[in-house]
Amino acid sequence: MPRKSDSTALYAFDAEQRAAHGVVCGVDEAGRGPLCGPVCCAAVILDPANPVEGVNDSKKLTEKRREALYEEITQKALAWQVVFVSPQEIDEKNILWATMDGMARAVAALDPAPDYVLVDGNRCPPGIQQPSRAVVKGDAGSASIAAASILAKVSRDRYMLELDKQYPQYQLAKHKGYPTKLHYELIERYGIQPFYRRSFLKKQGYWP
């Protein structure tokens, strides 16, 4: 178990789940709300014998801390996967089901496979083959879900920074694709690119 820290309670929760169910993975996503770019879904099986100090809800961490924890999680975890769900898939399935499918794909790609899946939120993706449990605010209660939230958030932010280099006029590095006043102004000025979610923009009247 980790030394006494903010992550102690999160690891204790996971230890209880492992005792009851076997190998546990956590699942979370980042990017459901933005107007553009992918949703990133991550699944992580942490090694209880090699804990990552300081894992917590990614929203409670600074960008620098998230980046450092990303490296540590990917080095220490028994298994991890990040799945990028494209804007096109989001438009085809809607954001909820595209996210559900992305989470299920991330879990299915884990090697070794988990015995039990902890999912952040209030519902479990039907595509997950293993027994699973939805954990409301799980990224602040489970070390595995917190680790998944960090991998998902960092992966998406890195993707948006690369996209910003290709399309600097949209200032994606600043707002990461979220629906800010500035972002809407830039869309009106420069138009819509293939990386935008048409279904999101239709609601705002930006798509014919």
Side-chain angles (χ1 to χ4, degrees), residues 25-106:
C25 88
V27 186
D28 203 357
E29 52 73 27
R32 282 182 64 164
L35 303 173
C36 63
V39 168
C40 289
C41 302
V44 181
I45 301 175
L46 290 174
D47 183 353
N50 195 13
V52 179
E53 278 296 311
V55 291
N56 206 334
D57 176 0
S58 64
K59 296 184 289 295
K60 297 180 179 179
L61 304 169
T62 64
E63 184 175 357
K64 183 177 180 181
R65 187 70 181 122
R66 285 195 300 265
E67 286 282 348
L69 285 168
Y70 177 99
E71 299 304 329
E72 193 173 353
I73 292 163
T74 54
Q75 289 168 17
K76 289 183 173 181
L78 295 175
W80 63 275
Q81 285 289 334
V82 177
V83 168
F84 289 73
V85 182
S86 71
Q88 291 73 31
E89 188 172 347
I90 291 167
D91 288 336
E92 288 169 10
K93 296 178 179 176
N94 81 38
I95 186 63
L96 172 63
W97 292 110
T99 303
M100 293 280 120
D101 287 353
M103 286 180 166
R105 293 205 299 268

Side-chain angles (χ1 to χ4, degrees), residues 75-198:
Q75 289 168 17
K76 289 183 173 181
L78 295 175
W80 63 275
Q81 285 289 334
V82 177
V83 168
F84 289 73
V85 182
S86 71
Q88 291 73 31
E89 188 172 347
I90 291 167
D91 288 336
E92 288 169 10
K93 296 178 179 176
N94 81 38
I95 186 63
L96 172 63
W97 292 110
T99 303
M100 293 280 120
D101 287 353
M103 286 180 166
R105 293 205 299 268
V107 173
L110 291 172
D111 185 15
D115 299 312
Y116 194 68
V117 181
L118 299 172
V119 182
D120 183 59
N122 60 5
R123 65 194 301 172
C124 293
I128 292 177
Q129 300 301 307
Q130 296 87 343
S132 57
R133 172 184 172 183
V135 184
V136 175
K137 296 185 179 176
D139 45 9
S142 159
S144 299
I145 295 177
S149 80
I150 292 165
L151 296 196
K153 173 66 174 166
V154 172
S155 296
R156 189 178 194 281
D157 283 355
R158 288 178 178 178
Y159 181 95
M160 296 308 291
L161 290 175
E162 287 302 311
L163 206 55
D164 177 70
K165 294 175 185 177
Q166 299 174 51
Y167 299 90
Q169 68 270 35
Y170 292 95
Q171 300 186 42
L172 299 170
K174 183 177 290 186
H175 51 70
K176 302 294 194 300
Y178 281 87
T180 64
K181 182 173 182 287
L182 169 66
H183 194 184
Y184 280 126
E185 290 172 354
L186 295 170
I187 291 171
E188 287 187 1
R189 188 180 309 167
Y190 297 109
I192 294 164
Q193 302 294 339
F195 56 81
Y196 276 91
R197 303 173 184 178
R198 301 183 183 196

